[in-house]
Amino acid sequence: SYVLTQPPSVSVAPGQAAKITCGGSNIGGKSVHWYQQRPGQAPVQVVYDERDRPSGIPERVSGSKSGNTATLTISRVEAGDEADYYCQVWDSSHDDWVFGGGTKLTVL
Amino acid sequence: QITLKESGPTLVKPTQTLTLTCTFSGFSLSTTAVGVGWIRQPPGKALEWLALIYWNDAKRYSPSLQSRLTITADTSKNQVVLTMTNMDPVDTATYYCAHMIWSGPFDYWGQGALVTVSS
């Protein structure tokens, strides 16, 4: 089955930029989506199709992809950004919707 | 405004069958390309996709769990039902339903329902 690999944790000081990576074989051929999950809450979509933001998501949240890695970047990090972040793709070869293992973003 | 809400038992015994209902509003499951999926999350662990049903009644299941899962829809009631057989303590998790178009993303999520499997 298809595997997406994320770092378990990322720490960043307020005002700095946080980068969360998501690696997968041939991820370049797949659409990557990102979700934020605050403690005790349901996931919320923050980026879809690598780099598009749903309405209400601030511009300082952005996505990109290069080679076998997709990246979620949160600029000017705030305390409210502290959450778990998950990447997700649709594996068309197996009709399987796959999530990464999640990354806990800690604001120092 | 799209909303979804999960309902079902909070506690099931090992070997029992779990039945969860997702009641939604703000969209129709009869509209082309619309789908409703189920995703679960064990305590402290990652999200895991389980099943999906489309507007045309096409169904998709997680390859690792498909022998235990059944997903159905009642479009007249705006409900999607997931059943999971032979429940085990490792199936203890928060179960979410979510809206999607075609193959994703999951753009609207329910609040989740915690199901504990214990004797």
Side-chain angles (χ1 to χ4, degrees):
Chain A
S1 61
Y2 191 78
V3 176
L4 292 172
T5 301
Q6 298 182 237
S9 63
V10 168
S11 299
V12 64
Q16 301 302 303
K19 291 184 181 293
I20 299 172
T21 58
C22 173
S25 174
N26 193 31
I27 200 172
K30 304 181 189 306
S31 291
V32 182
H33 318 300
W34 291 91
Y35 304 88
Q36 176 195 62
Q37 186 179 33
R38 294 190 171 102
Q41 297 186 18
V44 172
Q45 180 192 179
V46 292
V47 165
Y48 64 97
D49 295 344
E50 283 90 53
R51 59 182 68 248
D52 292 330
R53 283 184 306 276
S55 61
I57 302 301
E59 290 186 7
R60 60 189 186 84
V61 177
S62 62
S64 61
K65 190 169 65 176
S66 178
N68 284 332
T69 302
T71 302
L72 178 72
T73 301
I74 306 173
S75 305
R76 302 180 300 282
V77 163
E78 305 169 355
D81 297 323
E82 195 161 275
D84 293 325
Y85 291 84
Y86 294 90
C87 59
Q88 179 254 314
V89 301
W90 173 54
D91 175 21
S92 58
S93 300
H94 300 93
D95 233 353
D96 193 4
W97 282 258
V98 179
F99 288 90
T103 298
K104 181 177 181 59
L105 175 63
T106 299
V107 180
L108 300 172
Chain B
Q1 177 192 3
I2 290 176
T3 64
L4 306 97
K5 186 173 184 179
E6 306 85 355
S7 59
T10 57
L11 179 67
V12 298
K13 295 184 182 333
T15 75
Q16 286 186 337
T17 293
L18 171 68
T19 299
L20 291 170
T21 300
C22 175
T23 303
F24 57 85
S25 63
F27 68 94
S28 172
L29 197 45
S30 300
T31 301
T32 298
V34 171
V36 173
W38 285 92
I39 302 101
R40 72 176 179 180
Q41 184 175 38
K45 296 190 177 181
L47 300 166
E48 178 185 23
W49 171 71
L50 301 176
L52 178 68
I53 189 165
Y54 280 112
W55 84 99
N56 57 0
D57 206 39
K59 299 164 187 179
R60 303 290 185 267
Y61 295 102
S62 165
S64 61
L65 290 167
Q66 64 176 21
S67 64
R68 298 174 55 204
L69 297 172
T70 303
I71 190 169
T72 59
D74 186 334
T75 53
S76 66
K77 294 182 178 179
N78 281 354
Q79 291 182 332
V80 171
V81 175
L82 180 75
T83 61
M84 179 180 288
T85 61
N86 194 25
M87 293 292 284
D88 183 272
V90 300
D91 297 313
T92 294
T94 297
Y95 288 76
Y96 297 98
C97 61
H99 169 277
M100 73 164 10
I101 302 292
W102 289 122
S103 57
F106 296 102
D107 50 5
Y108 297 92
W109 294 63
Q111 64 189 24
L114 175 61
V115 178
T116 301
V117 184
S118 174
S119 55

